[in-house]
Amino acid sequence: MPLNDRTLGFFALLFAIFLTLFGYSLDAEFSYEPVGPKAFPLLIALIIGICGLVLIKKGGHPIKSNPPHANFRIFTMLIYITAYAFLFQWLGFILSTSLMTIFVAHLFGGSWKKSVIGGIGMGILFFLLFDKGLDVILPTGILGDLL
């Protein structure tokens, strides 16, 4: 199958349909906001679906091949995202976000020193912003007694 804009648009539409089905099945036992947990995936599905339709209508322009090592980075990012999803509850937001940020920064060319400083800073600052500033409850994980 040749890769072009229509192919990407078709897969975007399939993903939007999957996300819509997933979003409608979300039910919260209690909700402290009027729209509930369905709003975010349904909104994202709508945006992805519109973009998919635009790509299908736009035409079948061929896609340039990825630059060298780009496929390796994409595959590595998928591994990092999967690991982040599995470690999020157990390690907590600060540690899992810090680790994810460190490895992503290094993947995109950051030195280990700068990646570690940026990752730890980002994990702590986003935890303080969301958990303390915006009252979004985030998992504390193995740091639960310290926070």
Side-chain angles (χ1 to χ4, degrees), residues 62-82:
I63 297 175
K64 295 178 188 174
S65 62
N66 288 334
H69 306 292
N71 290 338
F72 172 75
R73 287 183 181 163
I74 292 169
F75 181 72
T76 306
M77 278 297 298
L78 286 175
I79 292 172
Y80 290 164
I81 291 169
T82 304

Side-chain angles (χ1 to χ4, degrees), residues 69-108:
H69 306 292
N71 290 338
F72 172 75
R73 287 183 181 163
I74 292 169
F75 181 72
T76 306
M77 278 297 298
L78 286 175
I79 292 172
Y80 290 164
I81 291 169
T82 304
Y84 182 71
F86 282 108
L87 296 175
F88 189 73
Q89 285 289 333
W90 180 63
L91 287 179
F93 180 83
I94 293 177
L95 288 179
S96 60
T97 302
S98 296
L99 287 173
M100 169 85 169
T101 307
I102 289 168
F103 288 119
V104 169
H106 187 68
L107 182 67
F108 284 95

Side-chain angles (χ1 to χ4, degrees), residues 11-91:
F11 283 113
L13 275 180
L14 287 179
F15 185 67
I17 291 169
F18 168 76
L19 203 54
T20 301
L21 295 175
F22 172 76
Y24 271 117
S25 66
L26 286 178
D27 284 319
E29 295 180 18
F30 65 94
S31 180
Y32 44 86
E33 56 188 48
V35 289
K38 294 180 180 181
F40 184 72
L42 292 178
L43 181 64
I44 296 297
L46 176 67
I47 293 170
I48 291 172
I50 291 171
C51 291
L53 288 174
V54 168
L55 284 174
I56 289 172
K57 185 177 184 273
K58 185 177 168 185
H61 304 292
I63 297 175
K64 295 178 188 174
S65 62
N66 288 334
H69 306 292
N71 290 338
F72 172 75
R73 287 183 181 163
I74 292 169
F75 181 72
T76 306
M77 278 297 298
L78 286 175
I79 292 172
Y80 290 164
I81 291 169
T82 304
Y84 182 71
F86 282 108
L87 296 175
F88 189 73
Q89 285 289 333
W90 180 63
L91 287 179

